[in-house]
Amino acid sequence: MSTANELPDYDELNDALARVEIVTDAAECHGLLCGLLCADKEPRKHWLTEILPAGGDNSDLLVKELRALLDTVYATTEEQFEAAAFGMRLLLPDDNEALYIRLQALGRWCEGFYLGLGIAGINDLDKLPEDSREVVRDMIDIAQVEVSDDETDEEDEVAYTEVAEYLRVGVLLIHEELSTPAQATQH
């Protein structure tokens, strides 16, 4: 279980999503939220609509459990964006998971982020500031990488860590650039 200012455990959220038969996994769910927080005027509303399309049956205990976790994910992620450089964290599997599982999740996180931008109305990457556009294009590339469960070595682990950190910093950059008044009026 998570504490204040900490995201829920990846597996905990995945399990809660699966129990309610939501096909979106925790990584994509969080990527979607981050994309919406960067570019949408009503991120919470649009995020919950995407994750729980029918709004969820509030009398269902499993839906209540999921909504509580989603509330924590939303509040924590919003706080982490405000804390910027040091607080932001991507919701991905733990480092003890096999690398190919973490890479697949990283790809789904990127897909979710890009979807969030699209829902927020950013359908033309050329309208983004140059640095943000580059990060989003990299996300699209990362989401398309084919991953196998072949053996990995220390260099692969280092590369994964570097890509995840690049995305974390890139998301903060996108958030900052899209939060400026000039950019906010363009999308």
Side-chain angles (χ1 to χ4, degrees):
M1 191 69 172
S2 62
T3 60
N5 206 11
E6 185 180 309
L7 289 169
D9 178 70
Y10 177 85
D11 291 326
E12 178 184 12
L13 180 56
N14 253 355
D15 292 346
L17 288 162
R19 282 191 296 273
V20 183
E21 298 178 3
I22 305 285
V23 295
T24 303
D25 79 332
E28 186 178 353
C29 179
H30 189 249
L32 173 66
L33 173 59
C34 290
L36 288 167
L37 283 169
C38 285
D40 196 64
K41 290 179 177 33
E42 297 182 81
R44 182 180 181 78
K45 174 185 166 190
H46 292 138
W47 183 58
L48 289 174
T49 300
E50 277 299 310
I51 303 301
L52 297 168
D57 177 3
N58 286 326
S59 66
D60 184 326
L61 289 176
L62 295 175
V63 172
K64 284 182 180 180
E65 174 191 345
L66 175 59
R67 284 190 75 103
L69 280 172
L70 293 175
D71 287 343
T72 300
V73 170
Y74 186 88
T76 302
T77 303
E78 192 174 48
E79 286 175 19
Q80 288 179 350
F81 269 103
E82 291 170 11
F86 302 108
M88 173 62 181
R89 177 167 115 29
L90 308 182
L91 184 54
L92 297 168
D94 290 333
D95 288 341
N96 61 355
E97 289 288 344
L99 182 60
Y100 80 95
I101 291 172
R102 290 181 281 144
L103 286 169
Q104 289 171 340
L106 193 63
R108 288 189 306 272
W109 192 97
C110 291
E111 288 173 2
F113 186 88
Y114 187 63
L115 175 62
L117 291 182
I119 291 168
I122 297 177
N123 300 309
D124 182 358
L125 294 183
D126 291 332
K127 292 184 178 179
L128 290 173
E130 185 178 345
D131 290 338
S132 291
R133 184 171 52 243
E134 182 180 331
V135 172
V136 173
R137 284 190 174 134
D138 289 342
M139 285 182 184
I140 293 168
D141 290 342
I142 292 166
Q144 295 174 2
V145 170
E146 294 287 324
V147 179
S148 70
D149 60 357
D150 295 338
E151 287 193 32
T152 59
D153 60 20
E154 186 63 30
E155 286 180 22
D156 295 328
E157 289 287 342
V158 170
Y160 168 82
T161 302
E162 289 173 356
V163 169
E165 179 63 10
Y166 167 76
L167 290 174
R168 185 188 76 77
V169 172
V171 167
L172 292 172
L173 170 76
I174 293 167
H175 183 260
E176 182 179 315
E177 289 187 341
L178 295 183
S179 296
T180 61
Q183 225 18 74
T185 60
Q186 289 184 9
H187 62 264

